Amino acid sequence: MTSDLTRLTADALAAKLASKEVSSVEATQAHLDRIAAVEGAVHAFLHVASDSALAEAADIDRRRAAGEQLHPLAGVPIAIKDVIVTKGMPTTSGSKILEGWVPPYDATVMTKLRAAGLVSLGKTNMDEFAMGSSTEHSAYGPTHNPWDLERIPGGSGGGSAAAVAAFEAPFALGSDTGGSIRQPAHVTGTVGLKPTYGGVSRYGAIALASSLDQIGPVSRTVLDSALLHDVIGGHDPRDSTSLTDVWPSFAEAVRNADVAGLRIGVIKELQGDGFQPGVMERFREALALLEGAGAIITEVELPSVEHAIAAYYLIMPAEASSNLAKFDSVRFGLRVNPKGGGTVEDVMSATREQGFGAETKRRIILGTYALSAGYYDAYYGSAQKVRTLVQRDFAAAFANADVLVSPTAPTTAFKLGEKTGDPLSMYLNDIATIPANLAGIPGISVPAGLAAEDGLPVGIQFLAPAREDARLYGVAAALEALLEQKWGHTLLSQAPDLSFSEMNATDEGAV
Amino acid sequence: MSEITQEQVTHLANLARIALTPEEIVSLTSELGSIMDHVATVTEVATPDVPATSHPIPLQNVFRDDVVGQTLTAEEALAGAPDHDGSRFRVTAILGEEQ
């Protein structure tokens, strides 16, 4: 019977825990059983922390039995993207250069999860250092999309999205530099939100591009993302880019969802050419539903968006090349001694050659080039100017709309291996998600249905002005309710049952 | 096609401290060329009158009080190191013979 517990939302499970109908140990064991049953097929996790998860759960049960006042989510299991450093759990960021590294400290988001009594199930797979849109750049093998195991689960946070979609965890933490929370949500029929830049602490998130990175929630329902966001958000003195704002309750925003009179601006540049017909069909259907509920649909233009990918693929590698300099074979991670010895620089070069994968090397070299003498102004400097233009476009658009909307990505999940040979075509997946990172504004992807031509999930993306994350929860929750009313079920209830793969269950630890 | 040469990629690899193989240098030279062709369009719209944005939501003077905070112990800091002597990280020679 415990397997039914994995079908519950985090909110529903929290209610059963609070009423003592279910114990945290039962809930945690149910998810560990599910992980054991489907991981051979899905490979969402790099590390499953069975023993510590059950110990954490038992501690919550003991405290609840003792009458202690607990956080409403106490005892609910959660999965953690491997980009987030965790005391007691290995943290690799999907790279061989950090294989087996157990951090001596927790990221601030982990400290907050532990304080709220959430139970960490383990660490989820990702493209190496969050560089990718498919998890195929993970040094530990790709994650498979629970809707079709031959297809990508999105990236870089494909592990977190797939874990949630496959009912291995009710929700998860992700990180989003150019779409790594939202695009996996789009291709797996799940929900993911990138908060306003600075809305969630990045302390202890292994940096890819510091001016773009943001940690956020991944879940099956809009309410669960909001509940998680309420736990992890807020100012952190350990992150100098952390905003000091006092944030409203995002769960409240979901419960008060109403789109009557809401002005929704459709982004003209993010539709049409290159967007799959089935993606556009679900997109237009969602807009019609929102209009029927009283929203005012208008069209807005973001002319600089056509240069956003180009700017992003200069800024991100430039910052990455700098951030990844810390992997120097001295303080943590891999050390490779070249044949015949050598200086510390020779050791460093040999270590980085062996420890980094192809995509990571590609981006470090690209970033080093963009920052090198004689090219800095032309490339990095120009890209930063495009960033200004994108921000101005958004400011103008938000003068006439409360939220903006686009498909989250141009296509449904593509096949594993389809784009690994062509870096540029892989980069173009992020066309709709990158502008929000450049501008620092929040964005959410919520399921819009299945594409008619392939039966695969499609997401819809809403964007709001900086600091207006609550608007996204409102409009996404309203759409979610309208769509589920129309369908008569949740989207994920239509996903294939994966329990046939029980024979391939994996043991605890890296797989 | 951007004029990226194998010599340039070799130089960049040296700057980035990655001992790329000759095969990697060949493939990266061609990939870098095609990626730069695509991203070079930023130079067309970045006119002199547009200011650069380095930070999406700029904050100024983010300071804290100059007091000792919670820090790692030497043991914790060394726990993940490839080599150490109990209180310090250990590395090989800093300078080569010709230096």
Side-chain angles (χ1 to χ4, degrees):
Chain A
M1 275 323 285
T2 52
S3 68
D4 289 342
L5 296 176
T6 64
R7 295 267 154 182
L8 297 174
T9 64
D11 181 55
L13 183 54
K16 284 188 187 292
L17 290 165
S19 69
K20 298 181 188 168
E21 186 188 334
V22 169
S23 73
S24 180
V25 167
E26 287 171 325
T28 301
Q29 189 61 55
H31 284 92
L32 292 171
D33 290 347
R34 175 71 180 170
I35 289 169
V38 304
E39 265 300 90
V42 179
H43 188 224
F45 285 84
L46 293 178
H47 174 79
V48 179
S50 308
D51 293 346
S52 62
L54 287 169
E56 288 170 25
D59 183 53
I60 290 296
D61 288 339
R62 181 189 56 74
R63 287 164 59 192
R64 199 186 305 276
E68 205 175 306
Q69 199 65 27
L70 299 173
H71 187 278
L73 292 175
V76 177
I78 187 167
I80 314 293
K81 187 178 181 183
D82 206 30
V83 75
I84 293 164
V85 304
T86 48
K87 226 171 169 170
M89 285 190 283
T91 301
T92 69
S93 210
S95 180
K96 286 283 179 193
I97 211 162
L98 278 179
E99 189 166 22
W101 181 56
V102 181
Y105 72 104
D106 269 331
T108 295
V109 288
M110 274 311 294
T111 305
K112 291 188 176 207
L113 293 187
R114 291 190 206 274
L118 281 109
V119 173
S120 302
L121 292 168
K123 307 297 292 288
T124 58
N125 197 16
M126 55 186 281
D127 289 290
E128 183 175 10
F129 292 111
M131 297 176 178
S133 309
S134 68
T135 74
E136 291 166 292
H137 296 311
S138 167
Y140 303 96
T143 296
H144 299 258
N145 191 321
W147 287 84
D148 178 346
L149 297 170
E150 302 289 305
R151 291 179 188 267
I152 60 115
S156 67
S160 281
V164 165
F167 299 93
E168 297 175 82
F171 50 20
L173 287 183
S175 71
D176 190 311
T177 304
S180 290
I181 287 175
R182 290 162 288 159
Q183 181 259 7
H186 164 88
V187 296
T188 58
T190 58
V191 176
L193 180 133
K194 180 199 96 69
T196 294
Y197 183 81
V200 175
S201 169
R202 294 183 300 110
Y203 177 78
I206 296 173
L208 167 55
S210 306
S211 77
L212 302 163
D213 296 346
Q214 191 53 208
I215 292 177
V218 171
S219 63
R220 291 192 290 269
T221 68
V222 178
L223 177 59
D224 282 357
S225 271
L227 290 165
L228 182 52
H229 195 165
D230 282 338
V231 173
I232 60 174
H235 179 247
D236 177 13
R238 286 180 150 159
D239 174 357
S240 65
T241 62
S242 172
L243 299 176
T244 53
D245 300 45
V246 175
W247 298 89
S249 161
F250 298 120
E252 251 347 89
V254 170
R255 292 185 176 116
N256 299 328
D258 182 9
V259 293
L262 187 78
R263 297 172 304 163
I264 300 177
V266 181
I267 302 171
K268 189 183 161 198
E269 289 80 4
L270 295 177
Q271 47 184 315
D273 274 2
F275 284 79
Q276 193 179 318
V279 170
M280 289 312 300
E281 196 183 342
R282 292 286 82 82
F283 179 65
R284 284 190 285 266
E285 181 183 77
L287 293 183
L289 276 176
L290 288 165
E291 194 166 30
I296 302 153
I297 310 291
T298 58
E299 189 174 78
V300 298
E301 293 184 20
L302 300 176
S304 302
V305 152
E306 74 168 293
H307 301 291
I309 286 193
Y312 177 83
Y313 277 97
L314 286 164
I315 292 170
M316 177 271 298
E319 295 188 8
S321 71
S322 170
N323 277 324
L324 269 56
K326 70 167 81 72
F327 299 104
D328 58 6
S329 77
V330 175
R331 290 157 297 163
F332 32 67
L334 184 70
R335 175 178 292 183
V336 176
N337 291 301
K339 274 183 195 138
T343 64
V344 69
E345 282 189 5
D346 297 329
V347 174
M348 220 177 269
S349 299
T351 301
R352 289 161 66 82
E353 162 62 14
Q354 191 176 312
F356 289 145
E359 181 65 15
T360 301
K361 290 176 190 169
R362 190 177 293 129
R363 295 199 192 184
I364 290 175
I365 296 296
L366 179 58
T368 305
Y369 179 65
L371 290 176
S372 59
Y375 299 101
Y376 181 94
D377 287 340
Y379 293 133
Y380 189 65
S382 297
Q384 289 192 311
K385 290 183 173 197
V386 170
R387 203 164 180 177
T388 305
L389 297 175
V390 170
Q391 286 195 336
R392 286 179 183 172
D393 280 2
F394 273 120
F398 284 125
N400 299 310
D402 301 308
V403 297
L404 305 185
V405 67
S406 76
T408 309
T411 68
T412 54
F414 48 90
K415 288 229 162 90
L416 288 160
E418 196 177 314
K419 298 192 179 183
T420 40
D422 183 359
L424 258 178
S425 81
M426 189 77 96
Y427 296 172
L428 294 174
N429 288 310
D430 306 331
I431 187 166
T433 46
I434 279 172
N437 300 81
L438 290 176
I441 63 173
I444 192 171
S445 180
V446 62
L450 303 177
E453 59 268 42
D454 53 23
L456 292 167
V458 171
I460 182 169
Q461 171 183 244
F462 295 96
L463 304 171
R467 301 181 156 91
E468 297 295 343
D469 306 44
R471 279 188 209 170
L472 298 181
Y473 284 112
V475 66
L479 177 62
E480 177 184 59
L482 290 165
L483 283 168
E484 288 181 2
Q485 190 180 22
K486 181 181 155 162
W487 300 329
H489 53 72
T490 64
L491 190 65
L492 274 168
S493 65
Q494 307 303 296
D497 181 14
L498 297 165
S499 44
F500 64 86
S501 48
E502 205 151 349
M503 303 300 288
N504 301 323
T506 53
D507 297 320
E508 171 164 4
V511 286
Chain B
M1 202 65 192
S2 287
E3 291 161 25
I4 307 275
T5 63
Q6 291 190 24
E7 289 70 31
Q8 263 180 309
V9 173
T10 306
H11 175 62
L12 293 169
N14 186 41
L15 289 175
R17 305 281 186 271
I18 305 176
L20 294 178
T21 63
E23 295 75 32
E24 284 176 315
I25 287 170
V26 170
S27 62
L28 275 170
T29 301
S30 116
E31 287 164 2
L32 202 58
S34 64
I35 293 169
M36 289 313 296
D37 279 347
H38 188 82
V39 300
T41 60
V42 294
T43 57
E44 295 160 19
V45 287
T47 48
D49 55 306
V50 181
T53 294
S54 59
H55 200 277
I57 302 179
L59 302 173
Q60 277 159 0
N61 297 342
V62 180
F63 297 137
R64 65 167 174 81
D65 293 334
D66 187 14
V67 292
V68 177
Q70 199 189 338
T71 58
L72 298 178
T73 63
E75 191 179 56
E76 287 171 330
L78 292 167
D83 195 8
H84 65 83
D85 73 354
S87 63
R88 292 165 296 182
F89 298 106
R90 198 198 315 257
V91 296
T92 60
I94 300 293
L95 298 177
E97 280 175 21
E98 74 280 13
Q99 289 161 304

